[in-house]
Amino acid sequence: MKKSFIKKRFNKLLKEKEENRVVCNDEVYTVGVITSDEVAKWLKIQDDIERILDLGNVRIYNFRPYSKKNIPSFKFFTEKDFNWKGEPKNKTFKSFIEESHDLLIGYFNKNNLYLENAVLRSNAKFKVGFANVNASLYDMEIVEIPTNIDSFLSELKKYLIVLNKLKN
């Protein structure tokens, strides 16, 4: 029941944000990453972003399905961290979403209402993600698979330089 309400609110908010989208031209200094626990288990996303994009201010939040066995952590969010309207209710997660990162990377390539909702609600100035997830979420999409993080980030860096968002 809760998921259908969240989906309905998500679609309404997505339409509103798409109609009012303004792309920011600021240079990138802060980076937020929203990904899944499964992706984060086999990649060192933060290290790779710092190495390839030469940026040091990277914050990551991972989605993992709720389980009573999991210990709450400021690095993870679950479906329980959203209220019935799809708004974040966990304080640290809400703070992450409300922070106006210069760049937000949606590092997931499969549809997931909770990951997509987090990206949509983020106050990031420029959002990048994988193609074929939800084009309406992002200012730029990259065609790649998550295991090719070096290729994804190299492509991202190339476009950020062209857009004057990164120094060469």
Side-chain angles (χ1 to χ4, degrees), residues 70-94:
N70 289 338
I71 298 168
S73 168
F74 65 91
K75 294 182 179 185
F76 299 97
F77 68 100
T78 72
E79 60 274 14
K80 297 275 189 184
D81 290 317
F82 294 96
N83 66 20
W84 67 274
K85 293 180 181 178
E87 299 163 341
K89 59 183 185 180
N90 172 298
K91 286 181 183 177
T92 55
F93 179 54
K94 187 175 182 177

Side-chain angles (χ1 to χ4, degrees), residues 3 9 12 28 38 40 47 98 103 122 124 129 136-137 151:
K3 191 171 182 175
R9 297 282 299 175
K12 182 180 178 189
V28 173
E38 95 184 48
D47 294 345
E98 290 175 349
L103 172 65
S122 168
S136 299
L137 291 175
S151 176

Side-chain angles (χ1 to χ4, degrees), residues 10-156:
F10 171 82
N11 287 331
K12 182 180 178 189
L13 186 60
L14 184 64
K15 186 177 181 189
E16 288 171 14
K17 286 210 173 193
E18 196 171 19
E19 290 170 358
N20 300 316
R21 177 179 281 168
V22 177
V23 178
C24 180
N25 293 321
D26 293 353
E27 193 171 335
V28 173
Y29 295 102
T30 60
V31 181
V33 180
I34 295 176
T35 190
S36 69
D37 188 29
E38 95 184 48
V39 169
K41 282 180 183 175
W42 39 266
L43 290 177
K44 301 287 184 214
I45 297 172
Q46 185 168 350
D47 294 345
D48 291 331
I49 290 171
E50 290 172 355
R51 177 177 50 84
I52 294 171
L53 298 183
D54 197 27
L55 295 168
N57 199 354
V58 180
R59 288 187 58 204
I60 299 177
Y61 242 98
N62 302 309
F63 172 79
R64 66 179 174 196
Y66 176 77
S67 169
K68 288 181 180 181
K69 295 177 184 176
N70 289 338
I71 298 168
S73 168
F74 65 91
K75 294 182 179 185
F76 299 97
F77 68 100
T78 72
E79 60 274 14
K80 297 275 189 184
D81 290 317
F82 294 96
N83 66 20
W84 67 274
K85 293 180 181 178
E87 299 163 341
K89 59 183 185 180
N90 172 298
K91 286 181 183 177
T92 55
F93 179 54
K94 187 175 182 177
S95 171
F96 177 84
I97 293 297
E98 290 175 349
E99 191 174 327
S100 59
H101 297 97
D102 297 319
L103 172 65
L104 179 80
I105 301 172
Y107 208 85
F108 56 95
N109 69 339
K110 296 177 185 165
N111 291 99
N112 177 304
L113 178 60
Y114 301 104
L115 285 164
E116 292 174 63
N117 193 35
V119 170
L120 175 63
R121 291 181 178 278
S122 168
N123 286 334
K125 298 174 186 173
F126 192 75
K127 299 176 184 179
V128 176
F130 286 89
N132 301 320
V133 173
N134 189 335
S136 299
L137 291 175
Y138 301 116
D139 300 306
M140 184 172 76
E141 294 180 299
I142 296 176
V143 178
E144 192 53 82
I145 57 173
T147 52
N148 292 342
I149 191 165
D150 283 7
S151 176
F152 177 91
L153 292 173
S154 294
E155 194 72 8
L156 174 58

